[in-house]
Amino acid sequence: MNDKTHGGAPAYRAMISGHGSFAPKKTLTNDDLAKMVDTSDEWITTRTGIKVRHITKDNETTAMLATEAAKRALAEAHLDPADLELIIVATITPEMVFPSTASFVQRALKATQAWVFDLAAACSGFVYGLSIVQQFIESGRLKNALVIGAETLSKITDWTDRTSCILFGDGAGAVVLQRADDGRKGILYSAMHSDGDRWDALNCQAYGSRYPARKPLKDPNKIYMQIKGREVYQQAIRRIVQTVEDCLRACDLSIGDIRMMISHQMNARIIESASKRLKLPDEKVFINIGQYGNTSAASVPIAFDECVRTGRIKRGDIIILVAFGAGLTWGANVVEF
Ligand code: UT7
């Protein structure tokens, strides 16, 4: 392993010691959507790979999903929540404007020693979160942290807009990261990027300081997600390929060393195109968008959790987590699991 990029191997690594995910019970199939907007199962399946998505009920919130996923990850890690030092919740559908969703998770878990915050990097939020915790653990400042990706995108979806409503779903995934000082590896490398010039490719504009709730909206659709699908599609493929190639170069790894690429699940065709350009064989690419839709910050940890549970990756495997989303933001983590 090439550790030149770290200025030498760090004394400590951030190891994933537990993982969990949670999705609301209620589901919405493509056929259900075809009764709501002018679309079909055939169109959605061939253009996106999505078959069904999970949708929260009115009384289910982002913090609830996040807490459930976190409990599962903590149980797997055999870690008492009271020993957590940091909780990051990556989300663009927070519990409320403030306090943070992470504050509600901390309260629910009784993680009394943790400092907490939300991270708004859209679909890249979870991989951004891992890179932040990596720095704190490698520097020796922290031993135990929790990174959660949690979304209730159904609450900011325009259910009359067929170009966006077919894409998204709700859910949460979480990992416990702990200091490994026994030679075990963990996060080897992270590369994060953004391009604010393209903010308008994907956004939800109200209600913030530009469009506060007290001011009537000229365009009522500003309360919903708006996407420029084609632009996102092309940018996503380009940035995923670039970032994975950068990571491989920085770590002196080849495709042959990678067991699995776990991408943000935004569209099966985007993931397949990027994988083809990277010359990644199908068995090294995990896709579960069919059962969840795009769950933004939650998608990578949900996919990671499923990947481990189904035996597709094992301890010691080298994997790449990669994401792309609004901001624009994108990034990847190379992990020796
Ligand atoms: O995580 C980041 C967030 N994710 C995204 O932003 C999504 C990225 N983009 C995509 O996944 C794809 O661009 C989409 C799935 C959104 C769209 O697929 P596409 O192959 O790029 O389709 P398109 O937008 O070029 O539209 C093709 C046609 C259009 O009709 P015309 O103009 O050819 O007559 C659309 O009006 O498909 C029509 N269309 C639909 N037809 C049936 C658009 N949405 C639908 C629909 N059902 N739901």
Side-chain angles (χ1 to χ4, degrees):
M1 178 63 47
N2 178 354
D3 268 311
K4 275 183 287 193
T5 47
H6 296 280
Y12 309 115
R13 297 275 197 187
M15 171 191 75
I16 298 177
S17 58
H19 48 89
S21 63
F22 180 78
K25 263 209 182 86
K26 190 176 151 194
T27 55
L28 195 66
T29 64
N30 293 346
D31 288 333
D32 294 332
L33 276 164
K35 291 178 198 141
M36 297 157 62
V37 289
D38 182 15
T39 191
S40 64
D41 174 46
E42 201 264 332
W43 192 96
I44 301 171
T45 305
T46 51
R47 300 274 178 149
T48 70
I50 302 167
K51 295 300 273 181
V52 63
R53 63 290 285 144
H54 295 257
I55 304 288
T56 42
K57 290 191 252 165
D58 281 350
N59 63 354
E60 289 174 310
T61 68
T62 302
M64 287 179 188
L65 306 189
T67 302
E68 275 315 308
K71 281 181 179 167
R72 292 172 186 196
L74 285 160
E76 172 103 18
H78 303 293
L79 186 73
D80 185 337
D83 292 328
L84 280 172
E85 295 158 292
L86 168 63
I87 300 172
I88 299 175
V89 178
T91 186
I92 48 164
T93 45
E95 193 77 358
M96 50 183 73
V97 175
F98 70 88
S100 71
T101 311
S103 300
F104 291 96
V105 173
Q106 186 228 13
R107 178 174 190 257
L109 294 176
K110 299 189 175 60
T112 47
Q113 301 304 312
W115 57 285
V116 305
F117 64 93
D118 284 5
L119 198 166
C123 309
S124 310
F126 180 77
V127 297
Y128 267 41
L130 290 192
S131 81
I132 292 170
V133 169
Q134 177 193 359
Q135 307 310 314
F136 276 108
I137 290 185
E138 287 185 1
S139 70
R141 180 68 184 80
L142 293 182
K143 281 187 180 166
N144 304 317
L146 181 64
V147 180
I148 307 168
E151 302 285 10
T152 51
L153 296 170
S154 65
K155 305 206 187 210
I156 56 165
T157 297
D158 179 355
W159 292 104
T160 65
D161 173 14
R162 70 173 183 172
T163 64
S164 64
C165 76
I166 53 130
L167 294 172
F168 300 102
D170 300 339
V175 296
V176 175
L177 290 151
Q178 293 189 270
R179 179 193 288 183
D181 41 16
D182 58 355
R184 287 173 80 179
K185 291 290 173 80
I187 304 177
L188 303 176
Y189 185 73
S190 294
M192 300 296 137
H193 302 277
S194 69
D195 176 5
D197 280 345
R198 293 184 189 271
W199 72 271
D200 67 341
L202 271 162
N203 57 62
C204 179
Q205 296 184 29
Y207 294 104
S209 61
R210 191 176 290 193
Y211 300 107
R214 67 175 156 71
K215 229 166 108 182
L217 290 171
K218 277 194 198 115
D219 175 4
N221 285 326
K222 280 194 162 50
I223 60 167
Y224 300 121
M225 272 183 292
Q226 287 168 338
I227 63 164
K228 292 184 178 164
R230 272 278 125 186
E231 185 179 339
V232 176
Y233 194 100
Q234 283 153 5
Q235 281 288 318
I237 295 173
R238 190 173 145 225
R239 297 308 193 179
I240 289 171
V241 171
Q242 254 175 17
T243 312
V244 171
E245 284 176 346
D246 285 354
C247 284
L248 293 175
R249 213 173 301 119
C251 297
D252 208 6
L253 294 169
S254 69
I255 288 292
D257 299 313
I258 304 300
R259 168 70 66 181
M260 194 69 72
M261 179 179 84
I262 302 177
S263 169
H264 164 50
Q265 308 283 312
M266 74 288 270
N267 182 325
R269 284 166 66 208
I270 293 177
I271 302 171
E272 284 157 5
S273 285
S275 310
K276 214 167 154 194
R277 288 184 200 188
L278 288 162
K279 301 195 171 45
L280 267 166
D282 290 354
E283 67 273 14
K284 293 190 174 192
V285 182
F286 189 73
I287 300 181
N288 70 349
I289 193 171
Q291 301 310 305
Y292 292 95
N294 177 346
T295 58
S296 191
S299 93
V300 171
I302 290 174
F304 172 75
D305 186 47
E306 188 175 324
C307 214
V308 181
R309 286 187 197 292
T310 54
R312 303 276 306 273
I313 52 177
K314 299 198 167 52
R315 287 276 167 203
D317 286 344
I318 297 178
I319 59 171
I320 295 193
L321 310 177
V322 61
F324 174 92
L328 298 174
T329 56
W330 64 99
N333 321 104
V334 182
V335 180
E336 187 170 323
F337 179 52

